Amino acid sequence: MPEPNRSGSFFLRKDEKMRTLLQIFRGTKEVLCEYDYYIHTQKRILHLTNSEIKIPHLMGMQYLGKPNQFTGDFGAYAIKKQRITMESVEKLVRKYYKTEEKQRRMLEMIHRKLDNLGELGEMFSSYSKLYLYEKGKNKESEFQSDYLLVHETGKKILHLGLVRSERGKGIYHCNSFMTTYQNDRDRDSFFRDLPYRYEITRIVRENKETKHKEVIYQSKEAEQSELAGIEKML
C-alpha cells in the first residue's frame, strides 16, 4: 500500500499520478450505476442496483466534517462540483480528528477505499465469495450489511457490503466498501467468523438503458452443468 509523503500526507504525494475525487466518483458510477447486477447462487438471486448517492459513502466521505455532511445527495453534488477535493479531504480529517494517530488511521482508511474502488469491475467479473452477514449481529463492525461480497486480488482483499432495499424483495444496494491487505494482521476479520457462505454460480450484468444482459462471471461448476445439458440435447 502507498505510504504518506515526508510531510505525512496521503493525498499530496508528488511522486505519482493520483486520480482526483471526481475521477474516482465517475469511474465508480460507471460500474455501479450504469448497470444492474444479478448475483446467482444455488438458492437465491440478489439483484444489485445503485444510484450515485450511494457512492460518497463507499468513498469514505462519511468520515469527513460533521456526521454525514458529505454523503448522500449533497456528497455527490460536492464531489461533482469539486467543492471537496483530495486536498480538502486531508484538511477536514486534520481539523476534526485531534490526535496524530487518529488522523493517520482515518486517512489510511479513506485512502484504502479511494485507491481500490477501481477494482469493482474485476470483483463482479471474477471469482468472489458471498457471505450472509446479518448486520444486527455485527453492530461493532464497519459493515452494517445483509451480505458481504469478498474478492481477493493479488495482495488485496476487497469487501463490498450489500444491504436490502426497501424497493422490493431480492433487491440490494451497495452500502460499504473496505480493503485489507494480505500482510494485515486482521486481513480476514470481516468474514472469518461468518458461518454461512454461498457459492456464486454466475453474475449477470444488465445495462440499465438498453436492458442488454450478459454473463460476466460463471463458475466452473456452472459451466460444466451447462455443457452437460447441451450434450443431453444433442
Side-chain angles (χ1 to χ4, degrees):
M1 164 185 173
E3 298 292 335
N5 66 10
R6 292 180 181 178
S7 67
S9 169
F10 279 97
F11 298 114
L12 302 181
R13 302 192 301 274
K14 304 300 184 183
D15 58 334
E16 58 184 291
K17 293 180 181 179
M18 289 196 62
R19 293 194 300 162
T20 65
L21 280 187
L22 181 57
Q23 288 172 326
I24 294 169
F25 179 89
R26 286 173 172 169
T28 306
K29 182 178 178 179
E30 181 178 350
V31 173
L32 289 184
C33 303
E34 293 185 10
Y35 301 93
D36 280 1
Y37 296 86
Y38 297 86
I39 302 172
H40 292 244
T41 71
Q42 289 185 342
K43 292 187 176 181
R44 66 202 67 204
I45 301 173
L46 307 186
H47 175 190
L48 184 61
T49 187
N50 292 281
S51 65
E52 67 174 23
I53 65 172
K54 304 293 182 183
I55 299 175
H57 191 90
L58 302 180
M59 295 172 69
M61 299 298 99
Q62 67 272 27
Y63 301 115
L64 304 179
K66 299 174 183 178
N68 295 316
Q69 180 178 351
F70 294 108
T71 59
D73 283 319
F74 183 75
Y77 171 83
I79 294 169
K80 288 190 291 184
K81 295 297 183 181
Q82 299 189 71
R83 300 283 183 87
I84 183 168
T85 63
M86 286 292 192
E87 291 79 6
S88 56
V89 165
E90 182 150 347
K91 289 177 182 177
L92 284 165
V93 166
R94 298 200 184 282
K95 176 180 179 180
Y96 283 90
Y97 299 94
K98 301 306 179 184
T99 68
E100 288 189 4
E101 176 59 20
K102 184 67 173 179
Q103 292 170 4
R104 186 197 65 78
R105 287 193 288 113
M106 296 310 298
L107 287 171
E108 181 178 358
M109 184 187 301
I110 296 170
H111 184 84
R112 287 184 175 208
K113 296 173 186 289
L114 296 176
D115 274 6
N116 295 296
L117 276 167
E119 306 281 358
L120 286 177
E122 178 186 329
M123 190 176 199
F124 290 126
S125 61
S126 53
Y127 178 73
S128 296
K129 301 172 185 177
L130 181 68
Y131 293 88
L132 180 64
Y133 200 72
E134 298 182 298
K135 60 185 176 183
K137 296 183 180 180
N138 298 280
K139 294 181 180 179
E140 302 302 319
S141 172
E142 161 80 9
F143 294 95
Q144 290 301 302
S145 307
D146 295 296
Y147 289 92
L148 185 64
L149 191 65
V150 178
H151 177 68
E152 296 188 32
T153 174
K155 297 180 179 180
K156 296 178 285 191
I157 306 174
L158 311 179
H159 309 72
L160 185 65
L162 313 179
V163 66
R164 287 186 181 89
S165 168
E166 297 178 354
R167 289 174 47 188
K169 185 177 180 181
I171 301 177
Y172 293 81
H173 304 302
C174 298
N175 77 327
S176 301
F177 178 73
M178 178 59 72
T179 302
T180 55
Y181 290 82
Q182 295 290 357
N183 59 357
D184 290 344
R185 184 180 62 182
D186 296 325
R187 61 187 179 277
D188 60 350
S189 61
F190 293 119
F191 59 90
R192 64 186 171 207
D193 295 324
L194 299 179
Y196 302 110
R197 191 183 105 187
Y198 303 97
E199 288 297 325
I200 297 172
T201 57
R202 65 173 52 85
I203 297 179
V204 177
R205 182 175 66 184
E206 179 184 38
N207 186 296
K208 287 184 177 180
E209 184 176 347
T210 67
K211 302 303 180 183
H212 173 72
K213 291 183 178 181
E214 62 178 327
V215 177
I216 59 172
Y217 168 76
Q218 187 161 263
S219 68
K220 291 182 179 179
E221 291 78 7
E223 287 179 358
Q224 292 170 354
S225 178
E226 191 173 283
L227 287 172
I230 293 172
E231 288 174 355
K232 286 181 180 179
M233 293 172 63
L234 296 176

